């Protein structure tokens, strides 16, 4: 007696079968995601509601009220982020690079040379953004909305340059305005006369982000404000990370639209994973396909860490091999590994590059532009090719087999 095992349905075309499974997975993921997100949103709003703490001691009541106000103003909002321009350190980078060459540093292949220059530039920027004892450093922020009634928030993360320094440092934040600000978008004059408007004197915790709020009317008509930090510590410098060590935040939207855009970005990630699963399942068995999708997801999540790996280490040369020859082997092996890593990061989806979680937690704006980039980078550039490849592989697959 003969049997026929059918693994597909008729009269659907094979591409319709793949597309239908993708749409079904997307609808199911969307229903579960938005149901869970709705419950979380309701719970957060309920916990952050205004309520009375009259039954508590006065100091505890004030603490709870301050906490609710902080959550309302710094988390359940959507604030645009403004960063100051970084100083130009290109001349210092070239000088340091030539100095290392003169001191006997080996020549590198192009990709590793670029990594070395990047490390030199990062060190130079950190030196520039170190405020020495009793000194002051001033940043310029531009592009803000002028004359707003809403407060603006200074978000900063100070770091001690000395390991023996205390975890809390004493300093003062100054806010300035130009004496004669240009109207509109005129060029910045070479000499700027600053007028101090406000000072925040206090003790700041090192190694963690903190925020202070100031009146939004301090921003001038051109959307510019100057912020300075005076280090009042007598024996240690205070350093600010050049990338996120100091920021200004200004309210741009409410929390619910920001939350919705974040969910749509997460939905794009789920659609991409569904597309990858269909592609793998079209050609591989279930265990192998599952392992492949988990591997792709893992690489996508740790992509930034892989990209920033230190490739400068060369192990000791084996016996009988000249050091120069071993360094040459190590140099080109590192170059090959760096090219492999870059190729892998281009092919594999980088979920960390399109994650809205950090912005949402810090009350920062998840813009429509960022949502568009996430949709194009995940669904269009990677999800669509995965679906097309899955349709092709499924079209070549044997769907029925006769067993005697």
């Amino acid at each position: 007696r003969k049997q026929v095992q059918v693994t597909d349905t008729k009269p659907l075309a094979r591409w319709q079968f793949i597309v239908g499974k993708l749409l079904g997975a997307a609808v199911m993921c969307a229903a579960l995601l938005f149901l869970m997100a709705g419950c979380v949103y309701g719970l957060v709003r309920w916990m952050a509601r205004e309520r009375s703490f009259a039954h508590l001691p006065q100091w505890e009541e004030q603490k709870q009220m301050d906490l609710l106000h902080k959550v309302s103003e710094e988390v359940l909002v959507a604030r645009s982020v403004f960063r100051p321009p970084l100083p130009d350190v290109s001349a210092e980078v070239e000088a340091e690079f030539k100095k290392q060459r003169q001191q006997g540093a080996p020549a590198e292949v192009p990709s590793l040379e670029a990594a070395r220059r990047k490390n030199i530039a990062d060190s130079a920027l950190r030196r520039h953004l170190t405020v020495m004892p009793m000194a002051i450093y001033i940043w310029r922020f531009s592009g803000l909305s002028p004359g707003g009634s809403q407060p603006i928030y200074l978000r900063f993360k100070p770091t001690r340059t000395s390991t023996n320094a205390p975890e809390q440092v004493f300093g003062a934040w100054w806010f300035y305005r130009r004496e004669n600000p240009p109207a509109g978008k005129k060029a910045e004059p070479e000499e700027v006369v600053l007028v101090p408007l406000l000072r925040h004197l206090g003790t700041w915790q090192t190694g963690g982000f903190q925020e202070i709020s100031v009146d939004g009317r301090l921003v001038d008509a051109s959307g510019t404000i100057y912020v300075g930090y005076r280090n009042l510590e007598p024996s240690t410098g205070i350093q600010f990370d050049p990338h996120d060590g100091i920021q200004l935040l200004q309210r741009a939207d409410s929390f619910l639209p920001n939350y919705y855009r974040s969910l749509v970005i997460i939905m794009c990630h789920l659609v991409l994973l569904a597309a990858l699963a269909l592609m793998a399942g079209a050609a591989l068995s279930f265990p192998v396909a599952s392992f492949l999708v988990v591997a792709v997801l893992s690489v996508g999540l740790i992509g930034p860490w892989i990209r920033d790996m230190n490739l400068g280490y060369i192990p000791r040369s084996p016996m009988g091999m000249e050091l120069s020859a071993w360094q040459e082997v190590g140099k080109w092996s590192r170059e090959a590994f760096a090219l492999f890593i870059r190729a892998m990061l281009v092919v594999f989806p980088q979920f960390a590059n399109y994650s809205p979680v950090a912005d949402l937690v810090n009350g920062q704006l998840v813009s429509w532009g960022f949502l568009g980039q996430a949709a194009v980078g995940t669904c269009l550039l990677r999800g669509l090719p995965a679906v097309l490849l899955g349709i092709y592989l499924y079209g070549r697959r044997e769907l029925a087999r006769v067993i005697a």
Side-chain angles (χ1 to χ4, degrees), residues 9-77:
T9 56
K10 299 289 185 176
L12 288 177
R14 299 192 183 188
W15 70 268
Q16 293 175 328
F17 184 74
I18 293 292
V19 172
K21 290 184 72 173
L22 178 64
L23 292 178
V27 170
M28 182 186 68
C29 290
L32 294 175
L33 175 66
F34 281 90
L35 176 62
M36 179 187 65
C39 296
V40 171
Y41 178 78
L43 179 62
V44 169
R45 280 298 187 184
W46 181 81
M47 294 178 64
R49 73 191 188 280
E50 294 186 4
R51 54 190 184 274
S52 174
F53 297 98
H55 61 285
L56 298 175
Q58 185 175 2
W59 65 271
E60 183 69 20
E61 179 184 5
Q62 186 61 41
K63 180 181 178 180
Q64 293 296 328
M65 294 298 294
D66 292 342
L67 181 61
L68 286 180
H69 181 266
K70 186 175 182 179
V71 170
S72 175
E73 295 296 325
E74 299 182 11
V75 179
L76 300 181
V77 292

Side-chain angles (χ1 to χ4, degrees), residues 151-213:
I152 57 176
Y153 295 86
L154 175 66
R155 176 180 164 91
F156 58 95
K157 180 182 178 180
T159 304
R160 300 167 295 167
T161 57
S162 174
T163 56
N164 297 326
E167 294 185 358
Q168 292 186 339
V169 294
F170 188 53
W173 287 101
W174 286 87
F175 295 85
Y176 304 88
R177 179 183 289 179
R178 286 173 292 189
E179 187 174 19
N180 296 311
K185 297 183 178 180
K186 292 184 179 180
E188 181 90 11
E190 294 184 2
E191 295 186 1
V192 178
V193 179
L194 299 179
V195 179
L197 302 175
L198 184 66
R199 184 185 72 167
H200 269 274
L201 183 67
T203 302
W204 316 108
Q205 188 76 26
T206 60
F209 284 104
Q210 297 147 86
E211 291 189 12
I212 57 176
S213 63

Side-chain angles (χ1 to χ4, degrees), residues 237-256:
I238 302 299
Q239 188 178 92
F240 295 89
D241 187 271
H243 306 293
D244 62 355
I246 178 170
Q247 305 167 354
L248 275 183
L249 300 100
Q250 189 175 43
R251 186 161 186 161
D253 202 351
S254 58
F255 177 73
L256 184 57

Side-chain angles (χ1 to χ4, degrees), residues 5-9 17 394 397-400:
Q5 294 181 349
V6 180
T7 59
D8 202 350
T9 56
F17 184 74
Y394 197 63
R397 184 176 180 179
E398 182 183 13
L399 298 182

Side-chain angles (χ1 to χ4, degrees), residues 18 65 86 98 103-104 108 139 152 162 243 252 265 288 290 308 320 328-330 338 346 353 370 372 400:
I18 293 292
M65 294 298 294
L86 296 176
K98 291 179 179 179
Q103 292 176 350
E108 297 283 8
W139 295 266
I152 57 176
S162 174
H243 306 293
I265 293 176
V288 179
S290 301
D308 297 334
E328 192 70 18
V329 171
V346 169
N353 292 342
F370 184 67

